[in-house]
């Protein structure tokens, strides 16, 4: 490259006369430069390039070292650089709002009135992202999933718009928190599926209607994983500041939940008064709930440059880490004031226990594998599961995870469908360097979870399955009538996707397709999809008239990803996915 020519092209600047000395100096320099050999010039250029690169790295690398909780937790924040595309290139890796806006008349231009580009926040360094785009379905199976999503969305739009959940049979809605859960939970699914119209109407609703200033008690965990997680995920994909502003408003209202004597949050909080409290039915918080908010609050701190959110949740994780456990296994209740586990509470990988284990691993991944105690606690807990909870049924020998009751004394051969998230999480761990034997366990659990579907005439899993360990009857699996419902849950589909991602074994796609067809056959109704009360009877599945937001957020999203022919449609080396299937960026530390 002819550097001289380039320089001269750009250094045509008229300067005032008092600078004429400088002009002379510049001329001398030019003369001196022209006398140098080609080799000498290249040498000088190399030195200058090295100096420039070093200076750039030092300036942008470490703007702030935040000490968290006085415990040597260091977060490296760097100034947000809107122009630099090498570090921030993940923002270019998906279709931005720009892409969608251009094909969608009426949506304000990004950078327009409602977007404040002047905000100078800090953001933690992100590793480079691959270039890919969410440009819509490419396989026939993906197209079928998108069709299902559109069907669900149409019913929701017609009868429940702005409310939490659709009641598709009575053509009504239900409100849990009054936060338009289905819309917020669906935003990133819509984005990933490349649905432009739906994105526009959902975004408009969030911008104009989503209001957190309501006199309403909400559950910290549920609102965090669904609403805060949903807003953050779509913010990262779309780069639209409006979503981040909404996330900040919500998180500021949730933050007083952590004002307990111990720092363990109360389970509920009023969004207007910001007064937290324990659940009405118990003095305790659920262990999985207080430990499944960290990815979201940390991500918000990294996105805004304000460490207060991360400080609050990091403290919770550290308190949990210090508590005594049963080989890494935790009771499902914890008191916010004492900061102690309820010692007689059950130990389970199902309801109220499940995602404690999930977020140990995922927090470690989110922070660039830099917080070792999280990984160590995860590994210890898997050993604990193998030692205390893992059994094999008779006669066929299905490996399952049971529960310990009474503070760990009595074993119950009961497994919630919720537990079927674990094989996927184990595979994610192995992908990130954790012990290979975890993959064997994941494989065994996949077979068992699949059986909970296969063995029902509807080909849909019940909420809870019991396993035969005494040989008292000829079947390995047993479902009580009170447990025979299916809420359109995602956990097994989620694991199918993770397993497919890491093994490339198309069997997982085939299993997923069969389950999708069963959803189509037994849960699809005129105005959407419905939970059913009985997976054991094809003649009467007892529709429950409820479409949960996680059906759109998780179940359909994981199916869409599972049926993709692009193995990196969502790259698990770049994103960590929260408990409600909302992808968040992985950081370097
Ligand atoms: C979702 O809200 C989340 O996946 C949560 O972690 C567990 N329960 C539902 C889905 O089943």
């Amino acid at each position: 490259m002819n550097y001289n020519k380039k320089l001269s092209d750009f250094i045509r600047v008229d300067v005032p006369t008092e600078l004429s000395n400088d002009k002379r100096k510049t001329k001398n320099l030019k003369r001196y430069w022209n006398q140098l050999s080609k080799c000498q010039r290249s040498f000088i250029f190399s030195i200058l390039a090295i100096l420039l690169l070093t200076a750039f790295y030092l300036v942008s690398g470490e703007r702030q070292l935040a000490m968290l909780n006085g415990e040597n937790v260091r977060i490296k924040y760097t100034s947000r650089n809107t122009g630099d595309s090498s570090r921030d290139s993940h923002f270019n890796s998906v279709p931005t709002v720009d892409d969608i806006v251009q094909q969608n008349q009426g949506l304000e231009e990004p950078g327009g009135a409602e977007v404040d580009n002047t905000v100078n926040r800090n953001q933690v360094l992100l590793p480079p992202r691959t270039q890919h785009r969410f440009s819509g379905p490419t396989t026939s199976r993906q197209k079928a999933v998108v069709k299902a999503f559109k069907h669900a969305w149409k019913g929701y739009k017609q009868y429940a718009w702005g409310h939490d959940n659709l009641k598709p049979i009575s053509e009504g809605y239900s409100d849990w928190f009054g936060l338009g859960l289905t819309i917020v939970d669906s935003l990133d699914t819509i984005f990933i599926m490349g649905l432009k119209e739906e994105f526009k109407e959902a975004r408009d609703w969030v911008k104009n209607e989503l209001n957190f200033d309501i006199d309403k008690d909400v559950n910290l965990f549920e609102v965090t994983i669904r609403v805060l997680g949903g807003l953050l995920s779509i913010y990262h994909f779309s780069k639209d500041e409006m979503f981040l502003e909404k996330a900040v408003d919500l998180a500021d209202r949730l933050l007083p939940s952590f004002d307990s004597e111990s720092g363990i949050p109360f389970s509920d909080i009023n969004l207007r008064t910001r007064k937290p409290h324990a659940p009405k039915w118990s003095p305790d918080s659920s262990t999985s709930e207080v430990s499944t908010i960290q990815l979201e609050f940390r991500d918000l701190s990294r996105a805004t440059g304000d460490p207060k959110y991360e400080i609050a949740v990091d403290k919770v994780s550290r308190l949990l880490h210090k508590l005594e456990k049963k080989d890494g296994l935790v009771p499902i209740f914890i008191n916010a004031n004492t900061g102690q586990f309820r010692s007689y509470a059950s130990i389970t990988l199902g309801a109220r226990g499940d995602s404690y284990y999930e977020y140990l691993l995922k927090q470690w991944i989110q922070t660039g594998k830099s917080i070792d105690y999280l990984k160590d606690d995860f590994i210890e807990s898997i050993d604990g599961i193998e030692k205390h909870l893992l059994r094999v049924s008779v006669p066929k020998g299905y490996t399952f995870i049971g529960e310990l009751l009474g503070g760990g004394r009595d074993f119950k051969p009961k497994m919630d469908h919720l537990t079927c998230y674990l094989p996927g999480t184990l595979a994610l761990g192995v992908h990130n360097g954790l012990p290979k034997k975890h993959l064997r366990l994941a494989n065994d659990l996949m077979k068992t979870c699949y059986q909970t579907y296969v063995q029902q005439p509807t080909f849909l899993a019940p909420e809870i399955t019991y396993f035969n360990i005494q040989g008292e009857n000829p079947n390995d699996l047993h479902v009580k009538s009170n447990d025979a419902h299916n809420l359109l849950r995602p956990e097994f589909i989620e694991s199918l996707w993770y397993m497919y991602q890491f093994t490339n074994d198309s069997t997982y796609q085939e299993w997923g397709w069969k389950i999708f067809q069963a959803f189509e056959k037994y849960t699809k109704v005129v105005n959407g999809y419905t939970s059913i009360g009985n997976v054991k009877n094809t003649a009467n599945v007892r529709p429950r008239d409820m479409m949960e937001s996680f059906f759109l957020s998780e179940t359909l999203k994981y199916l869409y990803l599972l049926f993709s022919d692009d193995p990196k449609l969502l790259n698990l080396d770049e994103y960590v996915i929260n408990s409600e299937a909302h992808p968040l960026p992985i950081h370097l530390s």
Side-chain angles (χ1 to χ4, degrees), residues 103-116:
Q103 294 157 55
N104 240 311
Q105 285 147 14
L107 183 59
E108 289 149 291
E109 285 287 318
E114 86 285 16
V115 178
D116 179 8

Side-chain angles (χ1 to χ4, degrees), residues 221-222 225-226 418 489-491 550 554 579-580:
F221 155 77
E222 295 288 359
I225 62 167
R226 297 183 198 222
L418 290 169
R489 285 199 192 275
E491 289 74 19
F550 53 68
E554 300 196 64
S579 203
E580 188 76 4

Side-chain angles (χ1 to χ4, degrees), residues 373-405:
Y373 82 83
L374 293 165
K375 172 203 62 179
D376 296 341
D377 285 1
F378 179 76
I379 293 175
E380 191 192 355
S381 73
I382 303 305
D383 290 344
I385 289 169
E386 291 186 326
K387 189 167 164 193
H388 300 289
L389 303 181
L390 213 62
R391 295 281 198 288
V392 176
S393 68
V394 286
K396 296 227 169 95
Y398 298 122
T399 300
F400 71 97
I401 296 178
E403 300 182 349
L404 286 176
L405 308 186

Side-chain angles (χ1 to χ4, degrees), residues 219-222 224-225 257-258 260 262-268 279 284-297 312-320 323 330-337 339-341 352-356 359 363:
N219 176 281
L220 169 69
F221 155 77
E222 295 288 359
T224 298
I225 62 167
S257 307
F258 297 84
S260 67
S262 68
I264 298 288
F266 293 104
S267 66
D268 296 87
D284 299 326
S285 303
S286 299
T287 304
S288 68
E289 294 191 355
V290 303
S291 56
T292 312
I293 47 184
Q294 280 70 12
L295 292 182
E296 299 79 2
F297 277 78
V313 291
D314 184 80
K315 182 174 177 189
V316 178
S317 285
R318 283 167 194 280
L319 286 168
L320 291 172
L323 292 178
V330 292
I332 58 173
F333 290 113
I334 185 163
N335 191 278
N337 287 319
Q340 298 297 316
F341 287 128
R352 305 190 189 283
D354 48 3
S355 43
Y356 159 76
Y359 270 35
Q363 281 195 75

